[in-house]
Amino acid sequence: MTDVAAIRAAARRARGIRRTPLLEAPGLDRLAGRRVLVKAECLQVTGSFKARGAWAAISALSETDRRRGVLAYSSGNHAQGIAWAAAAHGAPAVIVMPSDAPAVKIDGTKAYGADVVLYDRGRDDRDALGAGLAAERGLTLVPPFDHAQVIAGQGTVGLEIARQAAEAGVARADVLVCCGGGGLSAGVALALEADAPGLRVRTAEPAGFDDMARSLAEGERLSNAATTGSICDAILTPRPGALTFPVLQRLAGPGLAVSDAEAMAAVAVAFRHLHIVLEPGGAVALAAALFRRDAIAGDAVICVASGGNVATETFARAISENMP
Amino acid sequence: MTDVAAIRAAARRARGIRRTPLLEAPGLDRLAGRRVLVKAECLQVTGSFKARGAWAAISALSETDRRRGVLAYSSGNHAQGIAWAAAAHGAPAVIVMPSDAPAVKIDGTKAYGADVVLYDRGRDDRDALGAGLAAERGLTLVPPFDHAQVIAGQGTVGLEIARQAAEAGVARADVLVCCGGGGLSAGVALALEADAPGLRVRTAEPAGFDDMARSLAEGERLSNAATTGSICDAILTPRPGALTFPVLQRLAGPGLAVSDAEAMAAVAVAFRHLHIVLEPGGAVALAAALFRRDAIAGDAVICVASGGNVATETFARAISENMP
């Protein structure tokens, strides 16, 4: 089980990881009806928080395992995180990616020097494919969220939020986190439990793919009906993780969900007011702050903007269709 | 005259100012043929470095002068900086803006609570207009660059670069700075002279509006033929400042200039690789790193990305016309 000691250890090992800023803008506060603080993980190395978990997992491997290499399956951001962290550790990396992943993410992964293996998201079982490749080549599988070191690495976001929120004078607030399998949400929740108990994680998901919100409400892990069909490709996962769910069941508030249109509008708001580039899946937490105001209490809300690896056409559409 | 002591004093007063990150990305290094470090002042409060000089100038006023209020003339970023810093100090602000300034900047200035007075950039003399308003209402004029406290405030960017470059292991490099009247360039040059003597400022300007580059080459202050006609609206100024020019004459290397198309391409590169939003005028330093490689020496180059207050249509065009 991941605990805050593992998160602190991951933070001490995280040489290559950037401490991202917690951004604010008066215009954004006006739109959201309360103070909004945005943890800009789109500015993280590789363009998303996934670099943190990847670094934590690979830096925890034995020298022998690192030399053999790592394998990851991912729609894109975990892929880039693993490819980058593996290269930084001198480890070979094989990445299994869905063939419908945005080209920008496939190209980004290849650019870090990884071998990319594509699969059909509707037809193939990526877990079985990944496990097979790992066995065959002696690679260590680093899953995208349900892994103690990955959760520990993502939790370093929470350590930073705790310190930055205190500096900003925010002691009590909901912390909205873009949620796929729950690795980031669980890691942040564990860090905040230790360092900022007045801050509470709440997951934000695409409507129709809100498995975590429904699972939290029902008290058991429920699956999504599909894993395609939203523009928020970064956070479409089949079901909450076996490791992440119990953490969030204990620590998180009720989950939130937003439409694709709301995620796209949040991309435009972040462009205009914060001057950062978000992908739709990385903007769902900000979208929840903007469009689920009544479901949030308090004078301030913190949002994790989890990634910015967006197709040019998608971003151009988001800002053009949501002019102020 | 501004000196590093004034810059350090401005940094100590700069409560409301954000320490912006120095960003890097492997893909950007590949494009530029050397290591590139980008000081992301688009993430500064108000979306540009201008908040720094504004804060420095207003925080240095007497209580009486602050109560009477301040006046600024600006195409947009200085306007927003002054409007924001004045509001934070409880000072009234009147801003004289050209009528052809981007709507996003005029609206942004009004949103901070300032009174906006528009003028015709081709017909009116903004200096005379500003001086008249200041005399009439007892306002203190805060000019956009040729002012000791404004230069001191902008110089705090240089103090941060000195520290961040040292952390990144960069001791010798050119520091490319987007240059209008030279306030940011001069302030950064003074800070680097004291704290990082291996780092040298070089101005970056739009081609055809490279008054600073020509003035540095000729050894005297030369004017631009026009102050409109480039998409880099943020940095179109008539001539180098009387205070800024001697500083740059002493400390800066040869000036660089880039075309509008190169500035737009740099906007797209920053979008794709750094996940930040730049305006064309805020991207000319990065454009110089990308498109004037042979005019730059060394393994690393530092670029100041000075602002991100860009019209939606301009940004959508920049990224759509410069797909990877």
Side-chain angles (χ1 to χ4, degrees), chain B residues 173-251:
Chain B
D174 280 353
V175 178
L176 314 187
V177 184
C178 306
C179 182
L184 177 61
S185 303
V188 170
L190 289 166
L192 295 179
E193 180 189 26
D195 285 9
L199 304 182
R200 175 182 69 156
V201 161
R202 297 183 65 183
T203 57
E205 294 171 290
F209 302 85
D210 59 342
D211 53 308
M212 187 63 83
R214 288 183 296 110
S215 300
L216 290 171
E218 295 297 324
E220 59 173 327
R221 291 162 64 206
L222 302 176
S223 294
N224 286 319
T227 54
T228 59
S230 163
I231 199 161
C232 303
D233 62 279
I235 55 175
L236 302 184
T237 43
R239 75 198 69 77
L243 300 180
T244 59
F245 181 64
V247 172
L248 291 170
Q249 213 177 1
R250 185 167 67 80
L251 297 173

Coordinates of all heavy atoms in Angstrom, one line a residue, chain B residues 173-251:
Chain B
A173 N 25.5 31.8 -21.4 CA 24.5 31.8 -22.4 C 24.1 33.2 -22.8 O 24.2 34.1 -22.0 CB 23.3 30.9 -22.0
D174 N 23.6 33.3 -24.0 CA 22.8 34.5 -24.4 C 21.4 34.4 -23.8 O 20.8 33.3 -23.8 CB 22.7 34.6 -25.9 CG 24.0 35.2 -26.5 OD1 24.9 35.6 -25.7 OD2 24.1 35.2 -27.8
V175 N 20.9 35.5 -23.4 CA 19.6 35.6 -22.8 C 18.8 36.5 -23.8 O 19.0 37.8 -23.8 CB 19.5 36.2 -21.4 CG1 18.1 36.3 -20.9 CG2 20.4 35.3 -20.5
L176 N 17.9 35.9 -24.6 CA 17.2 36.7 -25.6 C 16.0 37.3 -25.0 O 15.2 36.6 -24.3 CB 16.8 35.8 -26.8 CG 17.9 34.9 -27.3 CD1 17.5 34.1 -28.6 CD2 19.2 35.6 -27.6
V177 N 15.8 38.6 -25.2 CA 14.7 39.3 -24.5 C 13.9 40.0 -25.6 O 14.4 40.8 -26.3 CB 15.2 40.3 -23.5 CG1 14.0 40.9 -22.7 CG2 16.1 39.6 -22.5
C178 N 12.5 39.8 -25.6 CA 11.6 40.5 -26.5 C 11.7 42.0 -26.1 O 11.6 42.4 -24.9 CB 10.2 40.1 -26.2 SG 10.0 38.3 -26.4
C179 N 11.9 42.9 -27.1 CA 12.3 44.3 -26.8 C 11.4 45.3 -27.5 O 11.3 45.2 -28.7 CB 13.8 44.5 -27.2 SG 14.4 46.1 -26.8
G180 N 10.8 46.1 -26.7 CA 10.1 47.3 -27.3 C 11.0 48.5 -27.0 O 11.9 48.8 -27.7
G181 N 10.7 49.2 -25.9 CA 11.5 50.3 -25.5 C 12.7 50.0 -24.7 O 13.6 50.8 -24.5
G182 N 12.8 48.7 -24.3 CA 14.0 48.3 -23.6 C 14.0 48.2 -22.1 O 15.0 47.9 -21.5
G183 N 12.8 48.4 -21.5 CA 12.8 48.3 -20.1 C 13.1 47.0 -19.5 O 13.9 46.8 -18.5
L184 N 12.5 45.9 -20.1 CA 12.7 44.6 -19.6 C 14.2 44.2 -19.9 O 14.9 43.7 -19.1 CB 11.8 43.6 -20.3 CG 12.0 42.1 -20.0 CD1 11.8 41.8 -18.6 CD2 11.0 41.3 -20.9
S185 N 14.6 44.5 -21.2 CA 16.0 44.1 -21.5 C 17.0 44.8 -20.6 O 18.0 44.1 -20.2 CB 16.3 44.6 -23.0 OG 15.3 44.0 -23.9
A186 N 16.8 46.1 -20.3 CA 17.8 46.8 -19.5 C 17.8 46.3 -18.1 O 18.8 46.1 -17.5 CB 17.5 48.3 -19.5
G187 N 16.6 46.1 -17.5 CA 16.5 45.6 -16.2 C 17.2 44.2 -16.0 O 17.9 43.9 -15.1
V188 N 16.9 43.3 -17.0 CA 17.4 42.0 -17.0 C 19.0 42.1 -17.1 O 19.7 41.4 -16.4 CB 16.8 41.1 -18.1 CG1 17.6 39.8 -18.2 CG2 15.4 40.8 -17.7
A189 N 19.4 42.9 -18.0 CA 20.9 43.1 -18.2 C 21.6 43.5 -16.9 O 22.7 43.0 -16.5 CB 21.2 44.1 -19.3
L190 N 21.0 44.5 -16.2 CA 21.6 44.9 -14.9 C 21.6 43.8 -13.9 O 22.6 43.6 -13.1 CB 20.8 46.1 -14.4 CG 21.0 47.4 -15.2 CD1 19.9 48.5 -14.8 CD2 22.4 48.0 -15.0
A191 N 20.5 43.1 -13.8 CA 20.5 42.0 -12.8 C 21.5 40.9 -13.1 O 22.2 40.4 -12.2 CB 19.0 41.4 -12.8
L192 N 21.6 40.6 -14.4 CA 22.5 39.5 -14.8 C 24.0 40.0 -14.6 O 24.9 39.2 -14.2 CB 22.3 39.1 -16.2 CG 21.0 38.4 -16.5 CD1 20.9 38.1 -18.0 CD2 20.7 37.2 -15.7
E193 N 24.3 41.2 -14.9 CA 25.6 41.8 -14.6 C 26.1 41.5 -13.2 O 27.2 41.1 -13.0 CB 25.7 43.3 -14.9 CG 27.0 43.9 -14.7 CD 27.0 45.4 -14.8 OE1 25.9 46.0 -14.5 OE2 28.0 46.0 -15.1
A194 N 25.1 41.6 -12.3 CA 25.5 41.4 -10.9 C 25.5 40.0 -10.5 O 26.4 39.5 -9.8 CB 24.5 42.2 -10.0
D195 N 24.5 39.2 -10.9 CA 24.3 37.9 -10.3 C 24.7 36.7 -11.3 O 24.8 35.6 -10.8 CB 22.8 37.7 -10.0 CG 22.4 38.4 -8.7 OD1 23.2 39.2 -8.2 OD2 21.3 38.2 -8.2
A196 N 24.9 37.0 -12.5 CA 25.2 35.9 -13.5 C 26.0 36.5 -14.6 O 25.5 36.6 -15.8 CB 24.0 35.2 -14.0
P197 N 27.2 36.9 -14.4 CA 28.0 37.7 -15.4 C 28.3 36.8 -16.7 O 28.6 37.4 -17.7 CB 29.3 38.0 -14.7 CG 29.3 37.3 -13.4 CD 27.9 36.9 -13.1
G198 N 28.1 35.5 -16.6 CA 28.2 34.7 -17.8 C 27.0 34.8 -18.8 O 27.1 34.2 -19.9
L199 N 25.9 35.4 -18.3 CA 24.7 35.5 -19.1 C 24.7 36.9 -19.7 O 24.8 37.9 -19.0 CB 23.5 35.2 -18.2 CG 23.5 33.8 -17.5 CD1 22.1 33.6 -16.8 CD2 23.7 32.7 -18.5
R200 N 24.4 36.9 -21.0 CA 24.4 38.2 -21.7 C 23.1 38.5 -22.4 O 22.6 37.6 -23.2 CB 25.6 38.2 -22.7 CG 25.6 39.5 -23.6 CD 26.7 39.4 -24.7 NE 26.4 38.4 -25.7 CZ 27.0 38.4 -26.9 NH1 27.8 39.4 -27.3 NH2 26.7 37.5 -27.8
V201 N 22.5 39.6 -22.2 CA 21.2 40.0 -22.8 C 21.5 40.3 -24.3 O 22.4 40.9 -24.7 CB 20.6 41.2 -22.1 CG1 19.5 41.8 -23.0 CG2 19.9 40.7 -20.8
R202 N 20.5 39.8 -25.1 CA 20.4 40.2 -26.5 C 19.0 40.5 -26.8 O 18.1 39.7 -26.5 CB 21.0 39.1 -27.5 CG 22.5 38.9 -27.2 CD 23.0 37.9 -28.1 NE 23.0 38.4 -29.5 CZ 23.4 37.7 -30.5 NH1 23.8 36.4 -30.4 NH2 23.4 38.2 -31.8
T203 N 18.7 41.7 -27.4 CA 17.4 42.1 -27.7 C 16.8 41.3 -28.9 O 17.6 41.1 -29.8 CB 17.2 43.6 -27.9 OG1 18.1 43.9 -29.0 CG2 17.7 44.4 -26.7
A204 N 15.5 41.0 -28.9 CA 14.8 40.4 -30.0 C 13.7 41.3 -30.4 O 12.9 41.7 -29.5 CB 14.4 39.0 -29.7
E205 N 13.6 41.7 -31.7 CA 12.5 42.6 -32.1 C 11.9 42.1 -33.4 O 12.5 41.3 -34.1 CB 13.2 44.0 -32.4 CG 13.7 44.7 -31.2 CD 14.5 45.9 -31.5 OE1 15.6 45.7 -32.0 OE2 14.0 47.0 -31.2
P206 N 10.8 42.7 -33.8 CA 10.2 42.4 -35.1 C 11.0 43.0 -36.2 O 11.4 44.2 -36.1 CB 8.8 43.0 -35.0 CG 8.5 43.4 -33.6 CD 9.9 43.6 -33.0
A207 N 11.2 42.3 -37.3 CA 11.9 42.9 -38.5 C 11.1 44.1 -38.9 O 9.9 44.1 -39.0 CB 12.0 41.9 -39.6
G208 N 11.9 45.2 -39.2 CA 11.3 46.5 -39.7 C 10.9 47.4 -38.5 O 10.6 48.6 -38.7
F209 N 11.0 46.8 -37.3 CA 10.8 47.6 -36.0 C 11.9 47.3 -35.1 O 11.7 47.3 -33.9 CB 9.4 47.2 -35.4 CG 8.3 47.4 -36.4 CD1 7.9 46.5 -37.3 CD2 7.6 48.6 -36.4 CE1 6.9 46.6 -38.2 CE2 6.5 48.8 -37.3 CZ 6.2 47.9 -38.2
D210 N 13.1 47.2 -35.6 CA 14.3 46.8 -34.9 C 15.1 48.0 -34.5 O 16.4 48.0 -34.7 CB 15.1 45.8 -35.7 CG 15.6 46.3 -37.0 OD1 15.0 47.3 -37.5 OD2 16.5 45.8 -37.6
D211 N 14.5 49.0 -34.0 CA 15.1 50.3 -33.6 C 16.3 50.0 -32.6 O 17.3 50.6 -32.7 CB 14.2 51.3 -33.0 CG 13.3 50.7 -31.9 OD1 12.7 49.6 -32.1 OD2 13.2 51.3 -30.8
M212 N 16.1 49.1 -31.7 CA 17.1 48.8 -30.7 C 18.3 48.2 -31.3 O 19.5 48.6 -31.0 CB 16.6 48.0 -29.5 CG 17.5 47.8 -28.4 SD 17.9 49.4 -27.5 CE 16.5 49.5 -26.4
A213 N 18.1 47.2 -32.2 CA 19.2 46.5 -32.8 C 20.0 47.6 -33.6 O 21.3 47.6 -33.6 CB 18.7 45.4 -33.7
R214 N 19.3 48.4 -34.4 CA 20.0 49.4 -35.2 C 20.7 50.4 -34.3 O 21.9 50.8 -34.6 CB 19.1 50.0 -36.2 CG 18.6 49.1 -37.3 CD 17.7 49.8 -38.3 NE 16.4 50.2 -37.7 CZ 16.1 51.4 -37.5 NH1 16.9 52.4 -37.8 NH2 14.9 51.7 -37.0
S215 N 20.1 50.8 -33.3 CA 20.7 51.8 -32.4 C 21.9 51.2 -31.7 O 23.0 51.9 -31.6 CB 19.7 52.2 -31.3 OG 18.5 52.8 -31.9
L216 N 21.9 50.0 -31.3 CA 23.1 49.4 -30.7 C 24.2 49.3 -31.7 O 25.4 49.5 -31.4 CB 22.7 48.0 -30.2 CG 21.8 47.9 -28.9 CD1 21.4 46.5 -28.6 CD2 22.5 48.5 -27.7
A217 N 23.9 49.0 -33.0 CA 24.9 48.9 -34.0 C 25.5 50.2 -34.3 O 26.7 50.3 -34.6 CB 24.3 48.2 -35.3
E218 N 24.7 51.3 -34.3 CA 25.1 52.6 -34.7 C 25.7 53.4 -33.5 O 26.3 54.4 -33.7 CB 24.0 53.4 -35.3 CG 23.5 52.8 -36.7 CD 24.6 52.8 -37.7 OE1 25.4 53.8 -37.7 OE2 24.7 51.9 -38.5
G219 N 25.4 53.0 -32.3 CA 25.8 53.7 -31.1 C 25.0 55.0 -30.8 O 25.5 55.8 -30.0
E220 N 23.8 55.1 -31.4 CA 22.9 56.2 -31.0 C 21.5 55.8 -31.2 O 21.2 54.8 -31.9 CB 23.2 57.4 -31.9 CG 23.1 57.2 -33.4 CD 23.2 58.4 -34.2 OE1 22.8 59.5 -33.8 OE2 23.7 58.3 -35.4
R221 N 20.6 56.5 -30.5 CA 19.2 56.1 -30.5 C 18.5 56.5 -31.8 O 18.4 57.6 -32.2 CB 18.5 56.8 -29.4 CG 18.9 56.3 -28.0 CD 18.5 57.3 -26.9 NE 17.0 57.4 -26.8 CZ 16.4 58.5 -26.3 NH1 17.1 59.5 -25.9 NH2 15.1 58.5 -26.3
L222 N 18.1 55.4 -32.6 CA 17.5 55.6 -33.9 C 16.0 55.3 -33.7 O 15.6 54.5 -32.9 CB 18.1 54.7 -34.9 CG 19.6 54.9 -35.1 CD1 20.2 53.9 -36.1 CD2 19.9 56.3 -35.6
S223 N 15.2 55.9 -34.6 CA 13.7 55.6 -34.5 C 13.3 54.6 -35.5 O 13.9 54.4 -36.5 CB 13.0 57.0 -34.7 OG 13.2 57.9 -33.7
N224 N 12.1 54.0 -35.3 CA 11.4 53.2 -36.3 C 10.7 54.1 -37.3 O 10.3 55.2 -36.9 CB 10.4 52.3 -35.6 CG 11.1 51.1 -34.9 OD1 12.1 50.5 -35.4 ND2 10.6 50.8 -33.7
A225 N 10.6 53.6 -38.5 CA 9.9 54.4 -39.5 C 8.4 54.4 -39.2 O 7.7 55.4 -39.5 CB 10.1 53.8 -40.9
A226 N 7.9 53.4 -38.5 CA 6.5 53.4 -38.2 C 6.3 52.7 -36.8 O 7.2 52.0 -36.3 CB 5.7 52.6 -39.2
T227 N 5.1 52.8 -36.2 CA 4.9 52.0 -35.0 C 3.6 51.2 -35.1 O 3.1 50.7 -34.2 CB 4.7 53.0 -33.8 OG1 3.7 53.9 -34.1 CG2 6.0 53.7 -33.5
T228 N 3.2 51.0 -36.4 CA 2.2 50.0 -36.7 C 2.6 49.2 -37.9 O 3.5 49.6 -38.6 CB 0.8 50.6 -37.0 OG1 1.0 51.4 -38.2 CG2 0.3 51.4 -35.8
G229 N 2.0 48.0 -38.1 CA 2.3 47.2 -39.2 C 3.0 45.8 -38.9 O 3.4 45.1 -39.8
S230 N 3.1 45.5 -37.7 CA 3.5 44.1 -37.3 C 2.5 43.5 -36.4 O 1.8 44.2 -35.7 CB 4.9 44.2 -36.6 OG 5.1 43.0 -35.9
I231 N 2.4 42.2 -36.4 CA 1.5 41.5 -35.6 C 2.0 41.5 -34.1 O 1.2 41.1 -33.2 CB 1.3 40.0 -36.1 CG1 0.0 39.4 -35.5 CG2 2.5 39.1 -35.8 CD1 -0.5 38.3 -36.2
C232 N 3.2 41.9 -33.9 CA 3.9 41.9 -32.6 C 3.5 43.2 -31.9 O 4.4 44.0 -31.5 CB 5.3 41.7 -32.7 SG 5.8 40.2 -33.5
D233 N 2.2 43.5 -31.7 CA 1.8 44.8 -31.2 C 2.4 45.2 -29.8 O 2.5 46.3 -29.5 CB 0.2 44.8 -31.1 CG -0.3 43.8 -30.1 OD1 -0.4 42.6 -30.6 OD2 -0.6 44.1 -29.0
A234 N 2.7 44.1 -29.1 CA 3.2 44.4 -27.7 C 4.5 45.2 -27.7 O 4.8 45.8 -26.6 CB 3.3 43.1 -26.9
I235 N 5.3 45.1 -28.7 CA 6.6 45.6 -28.6 C 6.9 46.6 -29.7 O 8.1 46.7 -30.2 CB 7.7 44.5 -28.6 CG1 7.5 43.5 -29.8 CG2 7.5 43.7 -27.3 CD1 8.6 42.5 -29.8
L236 N 5.9 47.3 -30.2 CA 6.1 48.4 -31.2 C 6.2 49.7 -30.6 O 5.3 50.3 -30.1 CB 5.0 48.4 -32.3 CG 4.7 47.0 -33.0 CD1 3.6 47.2 -34.0 CD2 6.0 46.5 -33.6
T237 N 7.5 50.2 -30.5 CA 7.7 51.5 -29.8 C 8.5 52.4 -30.7 O 9.2 51.9 -31.6 CB 8.5 51.2 -28.5 OG1 9.5 50.3 -28.7 CG2 7.6 50.7 -27.4
P238 N 8.4 53.7 -30.5 CA 9.0 54.6 -31.5 C 10.5 54.5 -31.5 O 11.1 54.6 -32.6 CB 8.6 56.0 -31.0 CG 7.5 55.8 -30.0 CD 7.6 54.4 -29.5
R239 N 11.2 54.5 -30.3 CA 12.6 54.5 -30.3 C 13.1 54.0 -28.9 O 12.3 54.0 -28.0 CB 13.1 55.9 -30.5 CG 13.0 56.9 -29.3 CD 13.1 58.3 -29.8 NE 12.0 58.8 -30.6 CZ 10.7 59.1 -30.1 NH1 10.5 59.0 -28.8 NH2 9.7 59.4 -30.9
P240 N 14.4 53.6 -28.8 CA 14.9 53.2 -27.5 C 14.8 54.3 -26.4 O 14.8 55.5 -26.7 CB 16.4 52.8 -27.8 CG 16.4 52.6 -29.2 CD 15.4 53.5 -29.9
G241 N 14.6 53.9 -25.2 CA 14.5 54.8 -24.1 C 15.8 55.5 -23.8 O 16.9 55.0 -24.0
A242 N 15.7 56.7 -23.2 CA 16.9 57.5 -22.8 C 17.6 56.8 -21.7 O 18.8 56.9 -21.5 CB 16.5 58.9 -22.5
L243 N 16.8 56.1 -20.8 CA 17.4 55.4 -19.7 C 17.9 54.0 -20.1 O 18.9 53.5 -19.6 CB 16.4 55.3 -18.5 CG 15.9 56.6 -17.9 CD1 15.0 56.4 -16.7 CD2 17.1 57.5 -17.4
T244 N 17.1 53.4 -20.9 CA 17.3 52.0 -21.2 C 18.5 51.8 -22.2 O 19.3 50.9 -22.1 CB 16.1 51.3 -21.8 OG1 15.7 52.0 -23.0 CG2 14.9 51.3 -20.8
F245 N 18.6 52.7 -23.1 CA 19.6 52.5 -24.2 C 21.1 52.5 -23.7 O 21.8 51.6 -24.0 CB 19.5 53.6 -25.3 CG 20.5 53.4 -26.4 CD1 20.5 52.3 -27.2 CD2 21.4 54.4 -26.6 CE1 21.4 52.1 -28.2 CE2 22.4 54.2 -27.7 CZ 22.3 53.1 -28.4
P246 N 21.5 53.4 -22.8 CA 22.9 53.4 -22.3 C 23.2 52.1 -21.6 O 24.3 51.6 -21.7 CB 23.0 54.6 -21.4 CG 21.8 55.5 -21.7 CD 20.7 54.6 -22.3
V247 N 22.2 51.5 -20.8 CA 22.4 50.3 -20.1 C 22.7 49.2 -21.2 O 23.6 48.4 -21.0 CB 21.2 49.9 -19.3 CG1 21.3 48.5 -18.7 CG2 20.9 50.9 -18.2
L248 N 21.9 49.1 -22.2 CA 22.0 48.1 -23.2 C 23.3 48.3 -24.0 O 23.9 47.3 -24.5 CB 20.8 48.0 -24.0 CG 19.6 47.4 -23.2 CD1 18.3 47.6 -24.0 CD2 19.8 46.0 -22.8
Q249 N 23.6 49.5 -24.3 CA 24.8 49.8 -25.0 C 26.0 49.2 -24.3 O 27.0 48.7 -24.9 CB 25.0 51.3 -25.2 CG 25.6 51.7 -26.4 CD 25.7 53.3 -26.6 OE1 25.3 54.0 -25.7 NE2 26.2 53.7 -27.7
R250 N 26.0 49.3 -23.0 CA 27.1 48.8 -22.2 C 27.1 47.3 -22.0 O 28.1 46.7 -22.0 CB 27.0 49.5 -20.8 CG 28.2 49.2 -19.8 CD 28.2 50.1 -18.6 NE 27.1 49.9 -17.7 CZ 27.0 48.9 -16.8 NH1 28.0 48.0 -16.7 NH2 26.0 48.8 -16.1
L251 N 25.9 46.7 -21.9 CA 25.8 45.3 -21.5 C 25.3 44.3 -22.5 O 25.5 43.1 -22.4 CB 24.9 45.2 -20.2 CG 25.4 45.9 -19.0 CD1 24.3 45.9 -17.9 CD2 26.7 45.3 -18.5

